């Protein structure tokens, strides 16, 4: 019997990690394994991620235009957008404050002397300005927006085009039909590429297992365990419970139907690369309306960063305590606002959280050496926090879809009574 895609991804993930670890600890002196095999795996993994990323921008654009143009009316577009945006903001804020509470209670890094660690240079970067962030959503050149993969700008253009098409009504029906066909083509392309997922995941995990240095983790195992524990709690407890609380879907069912999404995001460590899997999980497994998924998933991959929020919050407290520069209480409001902006701006690509932590380390005047610790552990944490991000997208949109269905049911009932 042919194994399911999620099972094959699971096998590829762990077999790649095991094989990579064998290379690092037992075959490191044989250049064919430590050099040639690892380089080939790195190349194959990069090609697989690039294939997924190649589809992301056109998928996002087409799915949003298609989703908006298929809405019953433009009022529902405004309602849907407000709900989705608001739920994402609430999710990010809850994650930040929960991580803050844990950081203040457990004080990660306290009593640890990291001041003698090696240095890693980071580029000085200003904290994002909220006004500039909003202004930059409108692109001056749509070609540049597509070429650079600026998701906020792509989303803006898609929303504008979808709204205009919808406002034209029957006169633009041919355009609606065209985007519906384009959406089917994109989904078929994704299905084709996803058949390569087990091989791509195997290659990515082999490279990871062969290059991670276990000795690095010794002095920071508690920090690592704390972040991973919080992220796993969010993935397997908080989000499933929230879905079971606001929808008919049980926590157990939600966990089962997001398994493939979790395994895929673990290997790619990219919310953007996981967009196709998230779309399929929502529409095919959880029964979420395509317009809700088409609008919400790309937006969530850009700004719904519960996992990154947890990571940045715990990491900045850890490095501040470990390097003898604990954060005073009066700085907490400014710190939390910065974490919120950085979480939203982290993007859906591998290493986004690490880059934002580097920015925060620099802006807060913490030692540059602290970035070495973050960089050493980032790849392992990044996998799990990406899973937290994408499962958060799925949970939020499942709840949003249920509120939309409830609203439609109430409207129908009210009309029937008239």
């Amino acid at each position: 019997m042919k194994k399911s895609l999620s099972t094959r991804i699971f096998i590829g993930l762990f077999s790649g990690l095991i094989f990579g670890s064998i290379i690092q600890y037992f075959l490191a002196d044989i250049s064919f394994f430590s050099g040639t095999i690892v380089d080939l795996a790195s190349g194959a993994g990069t090609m697989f991620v690039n294939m997924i990323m190649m589809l992301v921008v056109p998928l996002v654009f087409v799915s949003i235009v298609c989703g908006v143009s298929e809405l019953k009316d433009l009022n529902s577009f405004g309602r849907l957008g407000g709900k989705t945006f608001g739920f994402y903001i609430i999710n990010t804020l809850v994650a930040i404050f929960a991580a803050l509470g844990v950081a203040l209670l457990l004080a990660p890094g306290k009593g640890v002397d990291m001041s003698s660690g090696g240095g890693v240079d980071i580029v000085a970067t200003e904290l994002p300005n909220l006004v500039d962030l909003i202004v930059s959503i409108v692109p001056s050149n749509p070609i540049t927006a597509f070429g650079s993969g600026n998701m906020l700008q792509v989303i803006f253009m898609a929303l504008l085009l979808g709204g205009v098409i919808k406002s034209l009504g029957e006169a633009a029906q041919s355009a609606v039909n065209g985007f519906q066909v384009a959406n089917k083509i994109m989904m078929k392309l994704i299905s084709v590429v996803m058949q390569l997922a087990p091989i791509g995941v195997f290659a990515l995990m082999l490279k990871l297992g062969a290059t991670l240095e276990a000795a690095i983790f010794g002095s920071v195992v508690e920090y690592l365990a704390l972040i991973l524990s919080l992220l796993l709690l969010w993935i397997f407890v908080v989000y499933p419970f929230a879905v079971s609380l606001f929808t008919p879907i049980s926590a157990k069912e939600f966990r089962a139907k997001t398994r493939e999404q979790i395994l895929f995001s673990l290997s790619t460590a990219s919310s953007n690369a996981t967009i196709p899997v998230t779309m399929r999980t929502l529409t095919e497994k959880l029964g979420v309306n395509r317009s809700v998924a088409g609008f919400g998933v790309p937006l969530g991959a850009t700004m719904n960063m519960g996992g990154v929020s947890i990571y940045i919050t715990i990491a900045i407290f850890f490095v501040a305590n470990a390097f003898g520069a604990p954060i005073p209480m009066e700085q907490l409001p400014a710190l939390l606002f910065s974490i919120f902006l950085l979480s939203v701006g982290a993007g859906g690509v591998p290493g986004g959280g690490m880059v934002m932590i580097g920015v925060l380390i620099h802006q807060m005047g913490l030692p540059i050496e602290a970035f070495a610790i973050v960089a050493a552990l980032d790849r392992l944490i990044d996998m799990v926090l990406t899973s937290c991000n994408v499962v958060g997208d799925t949970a939020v949109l499942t709840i949003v879809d249920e509120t939309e269905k409830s609203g439609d049911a109430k409207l129908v009932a009210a009309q029937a009574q008239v």
Side-chain angles (χ1 to χ4, degrees):
M1 185 174 67
K2 188 176 180 180
K3 294 183 175 66
S4 67
L5 180 61
S6 60
T7 301
R8 285 182 283 139
I9 291 175
F10 186 84
I11 293 171
L13 189 150
F14 280 98
S15 59
L17 185 60
I18 291 169
F19 190 30
S21 299
I22 291 172
I23 290 175
Q24 179 174 180
Y25 294 110
F26 301 104
L27 303 173
D29 294 333
I30 304 175
S31 60
F32 174 74
F33 289 100
S34 61
T36 305
I37 294 295
V38 173
D39 288 344
L40 287 174
S42 177
T46 301
M47 288 175 66
F48 172 67
V49 173
N50 287 346
M51 286 181 69
I52 294 290
M53 297 301 289
M54 172 184 71
L55 302 177
V56 167
V57 171
L59 170 66
V60 167
F61 185 78
V62 170
S63 65
I64 291 180
V65 173
C66 197
V68 173
S69 62
E70 289 178 349
L71 290 172
K72 294 179 181 179
D73 52 61
L74 288 177
N75 290 331
S76 63
F77 163 68
R79 184 182 66 247
L80 174 62
K83 281 183 185 177
T84 306
F85 184 81
F87 277 38
Y88 281 158
I89 294 296
I90 291 171
N91 176 54
T92 300
L93 290 174
V94 168
I96 290 173
F97 280 103
L100 173 66
V102 171
L104 293 174
L105 181 65
L106 300 181
K110 190 174 182 180
V112 179
D113 183 11
M114 296 273 181
S115 56
S116 59
V120 174
D121 292 331
I122 60 173
V123 178
T125 310
E126 294 297 323
L127 284 172
N129 180 280
L130 186 58
V131 175
D132 291 341
L133 183 65
I134 294 172
V135 170
S136 67
I137 290 175
V138 182
S140 60
N141 187 330
I143 305 301
T144 301
F146 276 94
S148 63
N150 188 315
M151 298 303 290
L152 286 176
Q153 294 183 350
V154 171
I155 289 170
F156 173 82
M157 290 188 291
L159 291 174
L160 182 62
L161 179 59
V164 169
I165 290 174
K166 180 63 184 176
S167 69
L168 292 173
E170 290 297 324
Q173 186 58 45
S174 59
V176 174
N177 295 337
F179 274 102
Q180 288 174 339
V181 172
N183 193 55
K184 291 179 181 178
I185 292 171
M186 291 307 305
M187 297 309 294
K188 181 62 178 179
L189 277 171
I190 290 159
S191 297
V192 171
V193 173
M194 282 301 296
Q195 294 305 311
L196 300 174
I199 299 172
V201 167
F202 174 83
L204 289 165
M205 298 308 292
L206 189 153
K207 170 69 182 304
L208 179 67
T211 54
L212 280 179
E213 298 179 20
I216 295 175
F217 301 134
S219 60
V220 289
V221 65
E222 291 183 2
Y223 155 74
L224 181 66
L226 179 59
I227 290 180
L228 294 182
S229 297
L230 276 176
L231 293 174
L232 292 173
L233 179 69
W234 245 246
I235 293 170
F236 294 109
V237 178
V238 174
Y239 287 138
F241 175 74
V243 170
S244 68
L245 192 64
F246 295 104
T247 77
I249 300 171
S250 68
K252 181 179 180 181
E253 182 184 359
F254 182 79
R255 282 191 289 265
K257 291 184 176 180
T258 54
R259 184 176 65 171
E260 179 184 318
Q261 183 188 27
I262 292 171
L263 292 173
F264 187 83
S265 58
L266 278 173
S267 62
T268 62
S270 170
S271 297
N272 282 343
T274 313
I275 282 176
V277 184
T278 304
M279 289 274 201
R280 189 166 69 172
T281 299
L282 283 163
T283 57
E284 296 181 12
K285 296 183 179 182
L286 293 168
V288 171
N289 189 288
R290 191 168 63 183
S291 63
V292 174
F295 171 75
V297 172
L299 183 63
T302 302
M303 65 164 293
N304 184 40
M305 296 291 170
V308 173
S309 303
I310 292 171
Y311 179 26
I312 294 176
T313 305
I314 298 296
I316 203 64
F317 273 88
F318 171 78
V319 296
N321 291 333
F323 284 84
I327 300 168
M329 294 297 292
E330 58 268 21
Q331 287 188 10
L332 285 183
L335 173 65
L336 294 178
F337 182 68
S338 296
I339 291 173
F340 173 75
L341 290 180
L342 290 171
S343 298
V344 173
V349 297
M354 178 183 69
V355 172
M356 296 307 173
I357 292 169
V359 171
L360 200 53
I361 286 172
H362 174 76
Q363 292 298 311
M364 294 181 65
L366 292 169
I368 298 300
E369 290 80 8
F371 190 67
I373 305 301
V374 175
L377 297 169
D378 178 73
R379 189 61 178 90
L380 183 59
I381 295 172
D382 199 27
M383 295 188 302
V384 185
L385 78 84
T386 300
S387 292
C388 186
N389 289 338
V390 298
V391 172
D393 296 346
T394 303
V396 167
L397 292 175
T398 303
I399 294 171
V400 168
D401 184 64
E402 181 62 27
T403 64
E404 288 290 293
K405 290 175 181 175
S406 299
D408 291 342
K410 289 179 181 178
L411 182 60
V412 170
Q415 290 174 344
Q417 293 176 354
V418 174

